[in-house]
Amino acid sequence: MTASTASPPTVAIIGGGPAGLMAAEVLALAGVKVELYDAMPSVGRKFLLAGVGGMNITHSEAKPAFVARYGQRQAEVAQLLGDFDADALRTWIHGLGIDTFVGSSGRVFPTDMKAAPLLRAWLKRLREHGVTLHTRQRWLGWHADGALRIAAPAGEHRVKADACLLALGGGSWARLGSDGAWVTLLQQRGVQIAPLQASNCGFDVTAWSPFLRDKFAGAPLKNVSLALPGAAPRLGEFVLTASGIEGSLVYALSAPIREQIKRHGGAIVHLDLLPQTPLAKLQAALSKPRGAQSLAKHLHRQAGIEGVKAALLRELATTEQFNDPAQLATAIKALPISLVKPRPLDEAISSAGGVPFEQLDRHLMLKRLPGTFCAGEMLDWEAPTGGYLLTACFASGRVAAQGILDWLKH
């Protein structure tokens, strides 16, 4: 079947996440027959899990700052966002009958904070436009004649299509389908792949003391800041784990921390336990006579340091610093945490690495495999949490779909 016959062309989409579903919508609205295959029992599994606790769909940040969140790949992602940025995404969501609002942090959420109603409305629209969803269907690669190999409960079968979009996700959360198994399949076809790495992940220290680990693992550190040497501090919160640290503030710095560990075998982040308190003011407070009060009570009374903050200070500050109020204040403002490795990829919220943009044309078609396109998290880019990941996935699906339409015409 070709685009020139009376019947509409057929496009196979492998992967039912945001990128694959968005591409399916664009193609179906253009009159293309869309057959979407997903290995899981239902589509959008990772999308739904990401919405647990509040579906952060995008961010209201100004466009220059928004694009800068994509780090080394911001130029390429800016091209993806050219016709479908955060504002366009919100408009699209409203078209599904889902209202949105901007939270105090600038993050954008559906009014009911849930992912499921959005996904249900979206799937209803896709089915109404003729998109066929095939679940429990795992892509295994290609036959010699270019047909797709698909493993289904009833056995393996062949799929012939005029074009194919791969939207298989990265390598995190394998239980939801993003297992990175596609890497070997593309490498066997000569496509170069940047190694998949954990992104938006926690990090391990060498070891916490048994006291800190047993009593405070899982405790949040709120209203603090973290900074890599020479970089501006970032405000937020994170969680102490049995093996290290994790949470939104750590995720925001995960890319530079990971790269520091790769280059130097470790990374040091400086923790400010009281970012709103100037050093001089803190030094003056701690220098006040404490009389018969214990140092712990003095810290609590003069600086509000208690609980997990006090325990971490005791863990990381030296005896000399505790004996000198000025040095102790300095430690509170810049407590060094030595990180030795990221948590495993499958624990990460997302992954870095994947198909480099250099392996694709501007329509996201693989240069070595004409007619095969890629989109979503399997591309070599990364971003912090806060809606940036989803926005670029949606946008890349649209760009790939437009590229497929151009391919089918020619």
Side-chain angles (χ1 to χ4, degrees):
M1 184 184 297
T2 67
S4 62
T5 62
S7 300
T10 298
V11 172
I13 296 178
I14 312 297
L21 294 174
M22 182 58 79
E25 178 175 324
V26 173
L27 292 166
L29 290 173
V32 173
K33 182 182 179 183
V34 179
E35 304 283 345
L36 186 146
Y37 301 86
D38 193 278
M40 303 305 289
S42 60
V43 299
R45 307 275 279 204
K46 189 174 179 180
F47 180 76
L48 288 173
L49 187 58
V52 172
M55 181 73 254
N56 178 200
I57 198 75
T58 189
H59 204 287
S60 63
E61 196 170 38
K63 197 162 188 175
F66 190 103
V67 171
R69 299 292 186 180
Y70 298 93
Q72 295 181 351
R73 289 298 193 179
Q74 60 184 279
E76 291 87 353
V77 176
Q79 293 294 317
L80 301 180
L81 298 172
D83 293 325
F84 199 75
D85 58 11
D87 291 336
L89 177 55
R90 291 186 71 185
T91 299
W92 174 81
I93 293 171
H94 298 160
L96 288 170
I98 306 293
D99 292 329
T100 60
F101 73 96
V102 180
S104 58
S105 64
R107 299 183 179 200
V108 177
F109 302 88
T111 302
D112 63 4
M113 299 289 287
K114 297 178 181 178
L118 192 161
L119 183 60
R120 281 196 301 269
W122 194 8
L123 294 179
K124 180 176 182 291
R125 174 190 286 179
L126 292 175
R127 291 188 177 102
E128 288 173 348
H129 286 92
V131 175
T132 303
L133 304 177
H134 305 272
T135 55
R136 294 188 171 90
Q137 310 265 324
R138 178 175 292 276
W139 176 61
L140 301 178
W142 293 270
H143 288 280
D145 63 356
L148 301 169
R149 295 178 57 203
I150 304 291
E156 184 177 328
H157 61 102
R158 298 162 52 91
V159 170
K160 290 287 287 184
D162 296 290
C164 173
L165 170 65
L166 302 178
L168 289 149
S172 63
W173 298 12
R175 68 188 185 281
L176 301 178
S178 298
D179 58 10
W182 53 267
V183 170
T184 300
L185 297 175
L186 290 183
Q187 288 176 330
Q188 289 171 349
R189 289 296 183 110
V191 179
Q192 295 179 11
I193 305 295
L196 297 180
Q197 305 176 80
S199 182
N200 290 297
C201 61
F203 292 86
D204 287 346
V205 299
T206 301
W208 294 131
S209 67
F211 170 78
L212 187 70
R213 182 187 65 236
D214 295 343
K215 188 168 183 179
F216 291 100
L221 287 103
K222 299 184 177 182
N223 301 314
V224 297
S225 74
L226 284 177
L228 284 158
R234 296 181 68 101
L235 295 169
E237 62 182 77
F238 67 93
V239 174
L240 203 70
T241 70
S243 62
I245 58 176
E246 68 178 19
S248 59
L249 186 52
V250 178
Y251 301 156
L253 297 173
S254 65
I257 292 174
R258 185 189 66 232
E259 295 308 307
Q260 285 271 0
I261 292 173
K262 284 172 62 179
R263 286 196 296 268
H264 306 296
I268 294 177
V269 291
H270 288 102
L271 167 64
D272 187 342
L273 293 170
L274 298 172
Q276 310 301 333
T277 304
L279 176 61
K281 182 178 179 180
L282 182 59
Q283 287 175 331
L286 295 183
S287 296
K288 292 179 181 179
R290 60 186 175 93
Q293 278 189 337
S294 67
L295 181 55
K297 286 187 177 294
H298 187 62
L299 276 169
H300 182 202
R301 185 172 182 178
Q302 298 298 331
I305 298 288
E306 60 179 337
V308 64
K309 287 187 177 182
L312 194 56
L313 180 63
R314 180 63 69 179
E315 179 89 0
L316 298 175
T318 65
T319 301
E320 181 182 2
Q321 288 170 324
F322 270 99
N323 290 333
D324 182 342
Q327 290 190 52
L328 184 58
T330 300
I332 290 170
K333 297 293 290 179
L335 200 58
I337 303 177
S338 297
L339 304 173
V340 295
K341 64 179 179 179
R343 294 297 297 164
L345 174 59
D346 195 45
E347 293 181 16
I349 291 177
S350 60
S351 58
V355 180
F357 285 89
E358 292 76 14
Q359 296 288 302
L360 304 157
D361 70 9
R362 63 188 181 91
H363 299 297
L364 301 184
M365 184 173 74
L366 286 165
K367 295 175 182 177
R368 295 188 66 91
L369 298 173
T372 300
F373 296 73
C374 298
E377 201 182 325
M378 65 185 294
L379 302 180
D380 181 18
W381 59 276
E382 63 180 312
T385 57
Y388 307 103
L389 290 162
L390 275 176
T391 304
C393 283
F394 282 119
S396 69
R398 294 184 72 90
V399 169
Q402 292 294 339
I404 290 171
L405 292 175
D406 288 344
W407 166 261
L408 294 173
K409 288 177 183 177
H410 297 101

